[in-house]
């Protein structure tokens, strides 16, 4: 673990009041010959530039992408893409600053890499404020806490997404046809509860997170990217056909709905927690800034294009996930399955960040021969934690409201109720 290796190395404790941060450059640079010593060539567990790019793309393309057409609706057909572009530029700029700060402290302290917590702590230690220098360690703890909450939160969303999408496809299987020319409503065939679907995925996700090497995870990331690329191509293939006249769409939506856009857009840019872990594992970290800018340019272009085209195609009828608007045929039902496969493999990538923070804390407190056992046990407990939180959230916000023999269906991304006009006594329910 990078955090464990870093903490095991000897370096001056600049959080102490006895040593000022101004003394650190000379100590750090005495043994530092040139900027080239920052390279990490030859590590067997390091990733190539292509593997890093695959991880970066996969870490940012998740469930939030499917909700961007609705986000554009909440902002307006002009304000939406412009806001996405600004958010993308700000995100890339902040990621670039983060990487530059990490490189600076690596050179300054002659270290091979630093993590998020170290970057914040060293930055605070270099502050002119004595209070910040004395409390620099709280910066590390704060950043680590929010990284854990954010990344495990993504993992919880993935549990819900997987369970809901497989449940929808299975329940609608009897009414799904090969005719993709229209989007007919069907009667859902009740199956087991969504929580049981989550329980079914639990052991497979536990086995997946046992893969601890980013180089090996790149294979799963590549599979996830392929499956999600195929599903996105199918979505694009549908939404670019016969786009209606957009003249009736508002250029700028009401300011009351703009916060909804902002929340969805920020959720979509979910890969910032992976930036330093990916950079730290590269063979040649000097190439990472180029990979970062190229990868984020691709991601921002994808976000803007899907959000705009989805809203242009479906207009005011766009729903919480663009898959809800696709025809009820096997071709487009397979989009859900392919995207779910991609999300399944993405779980391990998002899980990597909190694992790097939490697991070394426990492994360092047991004998070395128990290290692997404790590592795997903590990983299992963390996956079970995300499963339990997802189940709890499902019971609170997605619990079906019974209406006779059938129930309303709530969409996975927005938690909003999706139900067609009432048709008593036998009501049909639209599917995602």
């Amino acid at each position: 673990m990078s955090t464990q290796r870093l903490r095991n190395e000897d370096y001056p404790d600049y959080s102490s009041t006895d040593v000022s941060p101004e003394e650190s450059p000379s100590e750090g640079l005495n043994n530092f010959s040139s900027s080239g010593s920052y390279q990490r060539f030859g590590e067997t567990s390091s990733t190539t530039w292509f593997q890093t790019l695959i991880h970066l793309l996969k870490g940012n393309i998740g469930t939030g992408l499917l909700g961007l057409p609705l986000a554009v609706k909440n902002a307006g057909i002009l304000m939406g893409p412009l806001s996405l572009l600004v958010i993308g530029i700000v995100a890339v700029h902040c990621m670039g600053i983060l990487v530059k700060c990490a490189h600076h402290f690596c050179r300054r302290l002659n270290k091979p890499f630093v993590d998020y917590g170290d970057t914040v702590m060293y930055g605070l230690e270099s502050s002119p404020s004595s209070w910040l220098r004395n409390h620099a360690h709280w910066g590390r703890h704060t950043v680590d806490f929010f990284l854990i909450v954010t990344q495990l939160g993504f993992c919880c969303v993935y549990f819900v997404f997987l369970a809901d999408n497989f449940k929808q496809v299975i329940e609608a299987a009897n009414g799904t046809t090969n005719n993709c020319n229209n989007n007919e409503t069907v009667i859902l065939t009740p199956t087991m509860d969504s929580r049981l679907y989550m329980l079914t995925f639990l052991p497979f996700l536990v086995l997946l997170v046992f893969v601890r090497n980013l180089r090996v995870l790149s294979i799963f990331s590549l599979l996830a990217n392929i499956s999600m690329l195929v599903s996105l191509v199918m979505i694009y293939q549908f939404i670019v056909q016969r786009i209606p006249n957009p003249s009736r769409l508002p250029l700028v939506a009401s300011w009351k709905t703009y916060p909804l856009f902002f929340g969805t857009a920020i959720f979509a840019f979910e890969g910032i927690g992976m930036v330093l872990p990916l950079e730290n594992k590269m063979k040649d970290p000097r190439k990472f800034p180029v990979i970062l800018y190229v990868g984020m340019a691709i991601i921002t272009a994808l976000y803007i294009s899907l959000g705009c085209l989805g809203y242009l195609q479906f207009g005011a009828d766009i729903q919480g996930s663009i898959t809800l608007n696709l025809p009820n045929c096997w071709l487009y039902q397979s989009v859900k399955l392919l995207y779910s496969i991609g999300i399944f493999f993405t779980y391990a990538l998002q899980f990597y960040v909190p694992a790097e923070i939490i697991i070394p804390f426990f492994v360092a407190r047991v004998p070395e021969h128990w290290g692997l056992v404790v590592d795997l046990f903590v990983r299992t407990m963390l996956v079970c934690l995300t499963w339990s939180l997802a189940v709890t959230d499902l019971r609170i916000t997605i619990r079906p409201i019974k209406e006779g023999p059938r129930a309303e269906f709530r969409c996975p991304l927005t938690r909003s109720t999706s139900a067609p006009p009432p048709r008593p006594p036998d009501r049909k329910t639209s599917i995602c």
Side-chain angles (χ1 to χ4, degrees):
M1 297 301 171
S2 60
T3 305
Q4 184 182 15
R5 291 197 301 269
L6 182 60
R7 291 173 180 171
N8 286 341
E9 297 179 8
D10 296 327
Y11 62 91
D13 183 8
Y14 299 111
S15 62
S16 171
T17 56
D18 298 329
V19 181
S20 65
E22 288 78 13
E23 299 172 0
S24 58
S26 60
E27 297 179 15
L29 293 173
N30 283 338
N31 298 322
F32 188 81
S33 58
S34 66
S35 60
S37 62
Y38 178 60
Q39 304 173 28
R40 294 188 296 274
F41 294 110
E43 293 186 14
T44 57
S45 60
S46 298
T47 56
T48 64
W49 68 268
F50 180 74
Q51 293 169 332
T52 304
L53 178 62
I54 292 296
H55 281 314
L56 182 65
L57 294 175
K58 190 64 233 68
N60 282 275
I61 301 175
T63 57
L65 175 62
L66 301 179
L68 287 178
L70 179 63
V72 173
K73 174 188 174 183
N74 290 327
I77 192 59
L78 177 62
M79 180 62 72
L82 288 179
S83 298
L84 281 174
L85 179 61
V86 171
I87 293 174
I89 293 174
V90 172
V92 174
H93 177 66
C94 293
M95 291 177 183
I97 292 177
L98 179 66
V99 173
K100 290 178 182 178
C101 289
H103 287 186
H104 169 74
F105 288 116
C106 285
R107 291 191 295 265
R108 175 174 172 175
L109 302 175
N110 195 21
K111 296 203 169 290
F113 51 81
V114 294
D115 58 17
Y116 274 97
D118 293 322
T119 304
V120 173
M121 186 180 71
Y122 295 146
L124 293 177
E125 288 172 354
S126 302
S127 170
S129 170
S130 61
W131 188 88
L132 290 177
R133 293 199 300 268
N134 295 337
H135 297 83
H137 60 284
W138 285 106
R140 176 204 292 273
H141 298 327
T142 302
V143 169
D144 286 348
F145 172 77
F146 284 112
L147 275 175
I148 291 171
V149 171
T150 301
Q151 299 302 123
L152 292 184
F154 289 141
C155 293
C156 293
V157 173
Y158 291 171
F159 255 115
V160 177
F161 185 88
L162 288 170
D164 282 350
N165 276 272
F166 272 86
K167 178 180 172 68
Q168 295 156 27
V169 173
I170 294 174
E171 289 185 347
N174 291 334
T176 304
T177 66
N178 293 323
N179 182 12
C180 297
N181 295 326
N182 49 46
N183 190 12
E184 299 178 352
T185 57
V186 298
I187 299 177
L188 301 180
T189 303
T191 60
M192 59 184 180
D193 188 84
S194 294
R195 288 166 288 184
L196 296 179
Y197 281 93
M198 293 186 190
L199 185 62
T200 303
F201 283 110
L202 179 60
F204 297 100
L205 288 172
V206 169
L207 293 176
L208 182 63
V209 301
F210 283 176
V211 179
R212 301 175 294 165
N213 192 316
L214 269 181
R215 190 179 182 89
V216 178
L217 279 179
S218 65
I219 301 174
F220 297 107
S221 290
L222 181 60
L223 294 175
N225 280 338
I226 293 174
S227 63
M228 297 178 80
L229 176 63
V230 173
S231 64
L232 288 174
V233 167
M234 295 168 66
I235 293 175
Y236 274 101
Q237 177 268 334
F238 182 82
I239 62 178
V240 298
Q241 299 181 27
R242 298 184 295 275
I243 297 178
N245 188 351
S247 59
R248 294 186 178 182
L249 300 179
L251 295 179
V252 180
S254 170
W255 64 270
K256 295 181 180 179
T257 59
Y258 191 80
L260 298 176
F261 159 83
F262 189 76
T264 305
I266 292 298
F267 175 75
F269 285 93
E270 58 187 65
I272 192 169
M274 293 297 303
V275 172
L276 281 188
L278 291 178
E279 191 271 345
N280 288 340
K281 290 295 183 179
M282 282 195 68
K283 287 183 178 179
D284 186 3
R286 296 175 304 173
K287 296 180 179 179
F288 186 78
V290 176
I291 296 173
L292 176 65
Y293 294 134
V294 171
M296 292 305 299
I298 295 173
I299 291 164
T300 304
L302 177 65
Y303 285 1
I304 295 175
S305 62
L306 183 65
C308 291
L309 290 174
Y311 182 40
L312 288 173
Q313 177 63 245
F314 301 111
D317 296 327
I318 189 66
Q319 299 190 50
S321 170
I322 193 172
T323 56
L324 300 175
N325 295 93
L326 297 178
N328 179 41
C329 64
W330 281 115
L331 176 63
Y332 294 108
Q333 285 290 80
S334 65
V335 170
K336 296 179 188 176
L337 297 178
L338 289 171
Y339 210 89
S340 296
I341 293 172
I343 292 298
F344 175 84
F345 290 121
T346 308
Y347 185 99
L349 192 60
Q350 299 291 357
F351 183 87
Y352 182 85
V353 176
E356 284 284 285
I357 298 173
I358 297 174
I359 293 178
F361 174 82
F362 294 97
V363 172
R365 283 160 176 76
V366 298
E368 184 176 354
H369 62 277
W370 284 100
L372 179 60
V373 175
V374 173
D375 185 307
L376 299 181
F377 176 78
V378 174
R379 289 174 182 272
T380 303
M381 291 298 101
L382 288 176
V383 176
C384 292
L385 174 63
T386 60
W387 170 81
S388 62
L389 291 174
V391 169
T392 302
D393 177 69
L394 189 72
R395 293 180 61 185
I396 294 175
T397 62
I398 319 180
R399 185 167 49 191
I401 304 172
K402 296 296 180 181
E403 292 184 1
R406 293 184 179 87
E408 286 184 321
F409 175 72
R410 294 179 184 256
C411 297
L413 289 180
T414 62
R415 304 290 192 266
S416 61
T417 303
S418 174
R423 299 180 183 176
D426 185 16
R427 197 174 84 173
K428 296 182 179 181
T429 306
S430 63
I431 65 168
C432 291

